[in-house]
Every structure is written in C-alpha cells, then in structure tokens.
Amino acid sequence: AAWKEETKTAGLGWFFSDFSGPFGNQGKTEQHVLSPLVGEALALRVALLAAKSRGISKLIMKSDSLELINTVNSDNNIMEFYGILHEVRTFASSFSFLRFLHIPRSANVVADNLA
C-alpha cells in the first residue's frame, strides 16, 4: 500500500505469481484510510478476496509490512484495524494452504508500483 497523510488516501496494489511468472496485477484506491498500517491491511484483505474469486486455493501472501505480518500470524489484535484483521483471518480459513510472509521492500517492487 501507498498512503497519503494529507488526503487519507491509500493506493493498494497486489499481484499473483506462479512458476510462469506474475499475473493478475491489480491496483485500487481507498479513501478515508487512517494510517499506512490500515492501508497495508486493506491491501491484504482485497488481495485475499481476489485470490478467492480466481479460485486460488493455495497461497503465500507476502508483504513488506513487518508489523502487519507479525500481527496476522499471531493472536494479537490492533484496534486500529481490528475489523479488517478479523476478516483476513476469516477468509484465511477458506484456503487449503495459506501462509503470510514478510519480505523486504526491495522484493516488493511490483506491488509497490501498482499501489
């Protein structure tokens, strides 16, 4: 996600890839986003929904937001985005395989450019 503090707008970007390479590149803009972390959580949620709508059942979600990945992988809740986190965890149960991994920003250039 990319976030503009002055407008509280976030650009969300995600893509899928397999052994053939990237596909399904998408971006979306969200208004009234309170923080960069909320933007990252929204991007994760919308990417999960996009994967589900494509019929993808096995997925490794990667994000350069360490705080988001640590929160999703734990039992912790952050009130700032509790509802989004609950939805992400609920959607996660519908995949036969799903992992959330942190990657460095330098490895996330495609998604960052889409955002």
Side-chain angles (χ1 to χ4, degrees):
W3 183 68
K4 289 187 178 181
E5 183 175 11
E6 55 279 352
T7 61
K8 303 292 191 237
T9 303
L12 315 179
W14 67 96
F15 70 97
F16 302 109
S17 91
D18 60 15
F19 297 111
S20 306
F23 65 93
N25 298 1
Q26 296 197 14
K28 179 180 180 178
T29 303
E30 288 284 337
Q31 305 294 321
H32 312 292
V33 178
L34 299 178
S35 72
L37 186 58
V38 172
E40 295 287 348
L42 288 168
L44 191 65
R45 181 184 70 180
V46 74
L48 280 172
L49 289 171
K52 187 155 180 66
S53 73
R54 287 179 166 267
I56 296 171
S57 63
K58 297 178 182 178
L59 191 61
I60 298 174
M61 300 290 296
K62 299 176 183 178
S63 171
D64 58 27
S65 173
L66 182 60
E67 186 175 6
L68 176 65
I69 295 302
N70 284 344
T71 301
V72 170
N73 285 331
S74 71
D75 291 331
N76 297 335
N77 290 308
I78 295 179
M79 292 310 298
E80 184 178 15
F81 64 97
Y82 176 79
I84 300 165
L85 185 60
H86 176 74
E87 289 178 338
V88 164
R89 289 176 175 155
T90 300
F91 298 150
S93 65
S94 66
F95 290 87
S96 63
F97 177 88
L98 179 61
R99 294 291 180 267
F100 298 97
L101 300 178
H102 175 258
I103 58 171
R105 181 167 297 224
S106 61
N108 203 21
V109 174
V110 174
D112 279 346
N113 287 339
L114 290 166

